[in-house]
């Protein structure tokens, strides 16, 4: 087909048709039915282009964001990931240093900055007692489990786990790394208390090949591919001596990749056109229809019979109060007011400060929506009404109506129908404005070539 002078290839149509009629789609269309939908879609996009909506900064930012989600991952090669993994490993080796990793256990007596000299003396006496018990042959694991103030380590016999320099307090660090495997330190004072440390194991960091898979998983888990992509783009900006921006470089990548991959080309076009469709549809139909009060009222009056109910409704409120006097006060406060103004009047009259005098549920209720309405208005027998805590007195106010009295009584339905009318009128106008040519002999070959 050709729409507004622009050709639409069979492959583009097939991409859209097949995607929107895949397994799981409820309202499937045949090719002939889809042609009309596709034409309407293209006409709306063309209208948006004519309005230059694609030049808006907000649109371009959002479009690039969606597009780049598809483009950026393809910029990162396996070689890039391997290089990043090696870089992470090398940085870890440098951080750990020549002393490697140690696995200490400790027995801990806690101190806090607020402890006085008496508490400090008790703590010192306690750690000395523990140390002497160990020198006398007490089992370190058993003693750590029973008396250490580090509950997390105590549950594992005092074992802290593998650590490197800089991961704990300087005093602990110095004492631990000075120990040989099997050795136990004298009491060591750190900013948080006393420690007796036992060295269980020491090792150097494993070779790269043995840690490679874990590092690769770490890269995926932390989404470091994104940072790799950003680095590569910045490197391209630098290589071009600032003549191209990061956005222009991404535009060029997207164009090359789309030329090589038709599926990607149509997906990017779908992002581009879909965002335009949303913007112009919102302006011409959705927001316009929702905010056009005069149009909505006129549409309701012209189609009033369409909005009949199959059963009466209660238009009013269910409310709960503490003071019996408030039952009448609530009714008096809204009597004679428009239904839409009730909420603000009730709030300012009864709940305008920190004391909440009433609990209210306002709306249009059908039978089954609210137990109190069912009981008092619809006279349903044996209805269980749940009490509202601290508000023991229940009441209702309003009236039972057989049909909607005003547009607001069925606003959501009217809005939806009015928007549908605006949509039809808009499409009819677009079909008059733009030339449309459909090549039936090609349409018949869709998915049959």
């Amino acid at each position: 087909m050709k729409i507004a002078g622009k050709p639409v290839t069979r492959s583009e149509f097939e991409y859209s048709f097949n995607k929107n009629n895949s397994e799981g789609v409820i309202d499937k269309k045949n090719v002939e039915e889809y042609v009309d939908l596709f034409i309407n879609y293209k006409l709306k996009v063309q209208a948006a282009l004519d309005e230059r909506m694609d030049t808006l900064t907000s649109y371009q930012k959002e479009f690039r964001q969606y597009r780049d989600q598809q483009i950026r991952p393809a910029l990162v090669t396996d070689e890039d990931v391997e290089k990043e993994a090696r870089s992470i490993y090398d940085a870890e080796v440098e951080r750990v240093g020549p002393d490697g990793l140690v696995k200490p256990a400790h027995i801990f007596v806690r101190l806090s900055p607020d402890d006085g000299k008496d508490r400090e003396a008790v703590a010192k006496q306690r750690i000395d007692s523990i140390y002497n018990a160990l020198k006398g042959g007490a089992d370190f694991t058993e003693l750590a489990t029973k008396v250490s103030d580090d509950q997390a380590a105590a549950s594992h016999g005092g074992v802290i786990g593998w650590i490197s320099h800089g991961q704990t307090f300087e005093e602990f660090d110095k004492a631990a790394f000075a120990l040989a495997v099997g050795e136990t330190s004298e009491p060591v004072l750190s900013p948080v208390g006393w420690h007796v440390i036992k060295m269980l194991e020491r090792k150097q960091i494993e070779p790269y090949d043995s840690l490679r898979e874990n590092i690769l998983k770490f890269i995926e888990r932390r989404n470091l591919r994104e940072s790799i992509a950003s680095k590569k783009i910045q490197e391209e900006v630098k290589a071009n001596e600032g003549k191209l921006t990061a956005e222009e470089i991404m535009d060029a990548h997207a164009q090359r990749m789309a030329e090589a991959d038709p599926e990607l080309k149509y997906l990017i076009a779908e992002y581009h056109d879909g965002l335009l469709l949303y913007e112009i549809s919102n302006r011409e139909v959705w927001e316009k229809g929702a905010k056009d009060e005069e149009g909505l009222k006129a549409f309701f009056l012209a189609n009033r019979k369409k909005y009949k109910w199959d059963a009466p409704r209660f238009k009013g409120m269910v409310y709960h109060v503490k003071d019996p006097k408030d039952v009448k006060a609530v009714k008096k406060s809204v009597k004679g007011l428009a239904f839409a103004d009730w909420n603000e009047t009730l709030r300012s009259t009864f709940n305008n400060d920190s004391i909440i005098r009433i609990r209210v549920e306002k709306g249009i209720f059908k039978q089954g929506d609210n137990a109190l309405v069912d009981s008092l208005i619809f006279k349903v027998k044996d209805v269980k009404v749940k009490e509202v805590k601290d508000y023991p007195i229940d009441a209702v106010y309003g009236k039972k109506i057989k049909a909607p009295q005003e547009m607001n009584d069925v606003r959501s339905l009217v809005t939806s129908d009015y928007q549908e009318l605006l949509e039809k009128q808009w499409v009819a106008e677009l079909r008059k404005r733009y030339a449309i040519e459909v090549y039936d002999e090609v349409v018949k070959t869709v998915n049959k070539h």
Side-chain angles (χ1 to χ4, degrees):
M1 63 186 70
K2 187 181 286 186
I3 300 174
K6 295 181 179 179
V8 176
T9 62
R10 182 176 60 188
S11 58
E12 180 185 355
F13 180 86
E14 285 177 335
Y15 171 85
S16 180
F17 174 78
N18 293 331
K19 185 169 184 178
N20 289 288
N21 286 275
S22 60
E23 290 299 322
V25 173
I26 296 173
D27 186 21
K28 287 190 177 183
K29 306 291 183 184
N30 61 37
V31 172
E32 288 72 24
E33 290 171 330
Y34 196 75
V35 164
D36 270 346
L37 295 176
F38 188 82
I39 290 171
N40 293 345
Y41 168 71
K42 283 292 187 179
L43 289 173
K44 294 171 187 176
V45 172
Q46 186 60 48
L49 290 170
D50 288 347
E51 294 287 337
R52 296 179 57 79
M53 287 184 171
D54 59 327
T55 66
L56 297 173
T57 302
S58 57
Y59 166 82
Q60 291 179 350
K61 182 179 179 181
E62 189 171 9
F63 165 63
R64 283 192 170 102
Q65 182 181 346
Y66 280 108
R67 182 202 64 187
D68 292 355
Q69 287 175 359
Q70 303 298 321
I71 301 301
R72 287 173 68 88
L75 299 179
V76 181
T77 65
D78 291 342
E79 184 181 349
D80 293 327
V81 175
E82 191 69 34
K83 183 179 177 182
E84 182 70 11
R86 174 62 75 170
S87 177
I88 291 171
Y89 175 80
D90 291 343
E92 183 67 4
V93 169
E94 184 176 351
R95 187 189 69 78
V96 168
D99 288 339
L101 301 165
V102 296
K103 183 194 276 187
H106 77 148
I107 301 174
F108 177 53
V109 175
R110 191 181 307 280
L111 278 172
S112 74
D114 298 329
D115 288 339
K117 291 191 177 296
D118 289 346
R119 175 72 185 95
E120 290 176 2
V122 169
K124 181 64 169 71
Q125 185 179 17
R126 185 177 163 208
I127 199 70
D128 286 341
S129 174
I130 291 168
Y131 180 65
N132 288 331
L134 292 170
K135 286 202 300 182
D139 182 76
F140 189 99
T141 299
E142 185 177 336
L143 201 56
T145 303
K146 289 181 179 179
V147 305
S148 179
D149 289 341
D150 181 350
Q151 295 299 316
S155 64
H156 297 92
V159 178
I160 293 173
W162 289 104
I163 60 172
S164 60
H165 278 305
Q167 288 187 290
T168 184
F169 295 106
E170 183 180 352
E171 297 84 355
F172 187 101
D173 188 294
K174 184 178 180 180
F177 275 88
L179 296 172
V181 173
E183 278 190 317
T184 301
S185 73
E186 295 182 356
V188 176
L189 180 62
S190 79
V192 293
W194 288 96
H195 314 257
V196 173
I197 308 165
K198 182 176 182 180
M199 183 53 58
L200 304 177
E201 294 181 66
R202 303 185 70 128
K203 69 176 182 179
Q204 292 297 320
I205 193 167
E206 289 90 339
Y208 172 73
D209 287 345
S210 64
L211 295 177
R212 178 177 175 275
E213 287 303 316
N214 287 336
I215 297 173
L216 293 177
K217 288 178 183 177
F218 171 81
I219 288 173
E220 296 301 328
R221 195 165 57 247
R222 294 293 182 90
N223 198 25
L224 295 183
R225 284 178 177 267
E226 266 297 303
S227 63
I228 297 171
S230 295
K231 287 178 189 175
K232 294 192 74 172
I233 294 165
Q234 290 307 313
E235 286 171 3
E236 287 191 57
V237 171
K238 190 175 180 181
N240 282 278
E241 299 178 346
K243 294 176 183 177
L244 293 175
T245 66
E247 285 185 349
E248 289 170 332
I249 286 171
M250 284 301 298
D251 289 344
H253 277 297
Q255 184 175 348
R256 284 195 297 270
M257 291 169 64
E259 288 172 355
D261 182 353
E263 285 286 314
L264 179 61
K265 174 185 174 182
Y266 294 138
L267 179 60
I268 292 174
E270 185 180 350
Y271 289 145
H272 179 275
D273 293 353
L275 290 171
L276 287 175
L277 176 68
Y278 175 83
E279 291 296 332
I280 197 162
S281 295
N282 193 46
R283 191 184 75 179
E284 297 293 333
V285 177
W286 304 328
E287 190 173 357
K288 180 179 178 180
K291 292 184 176 181
D292 182 6
E293 291 297 319
E294 292 304 316
L296 287 167
K297 289 175 183 176
F299 183 82
F300 170 71
L301 292 174
N303 298 274
R304 195 165 194 154
K305 292 181 180 179
K306 181 179 180 181
Y307 300 106
K308 287 183 177 180
W309 292 324
D310 56 356
R313 303 285 196 270
F314 173 67
K315 182 179 181 179
M317 62 178 164
V318 177
Y319 61 104
H320 315 275
V321 300
K322 299 179 180 182
D323 188 338
K325 294 178 182 178
D326 280 339
V327 173
K328 288 186 178 180
V330 168
K331 295 178 181 178
K332 185 178 179 181
S333 70
V334 299
K335 189 175 181 180
L337 293 179
F339 189 62
D341 297 331
W342 285 16
N343 282 344
E344 179 56 29
T345 298
L346 292 169
R347 187 198 64 77
S348 60
T349 305
F350 298 96
N351 296 339
N352 200 27
D353 52 28
S354 58
I355 298 174
I356 307 298
R357 287 168 58 186
I358 63 172
R359 297 286 186 187
V360 182
E361 184 182 353
K362 170 181 167 284
I364 298 176
F365 304 85
K366 65 179 184 297
Q367 186 173 319
D369 285 346
N370 183 281
L372 192 60
V373 171
D374 286 351
S375 176
L376 299 181
I377 302 299
F378 295 119
K379 307 301 180 183
V380 179
K381 295 181 179 180
D382 301 323
V383 177
K384 290 184 179 180
V385 178
K386 187 177 180 181
E387 291 185 4
V388 177
K389 186 181 179 183
D390 299 327
Y391 297 84
I393 305 169
D394 302 324
V396 296
Y397 180 71
K399 57 185 174 181
K400 187 161 65 170
I401 55 178
K402 294 182 179 180
Q405 297 176 314
E406 57 180 332
M407 186 271 294
N408 280 330
D409 292 347
V410 282
R411 187 181 189 93
S412 61
L413 292 174
V414 174
T415 300
S416 177
D417 290 344
Y418 184 52
Q419 288 170 335
E420 186 177 340
L421 174 65
L422 291 177
E423 167 99 7
K424 289 178 180 177
Q425 292 173 342
W426 181 38
V427 169
E429 187 273 323
L430 292 176
R431 282 178 173 263
K432 289 179 182 178
R433 188 194 311 176
Y434 297 109
I436 303 167
E437 297 178 65
V438 178
Y439 308 124
D440 293 329
E441 68 277 11
V442 183
V443 171
K444 290 175 183 177
T445 67
V446 168
N447 289 336
K448 296 177 181 177
H449 55 92

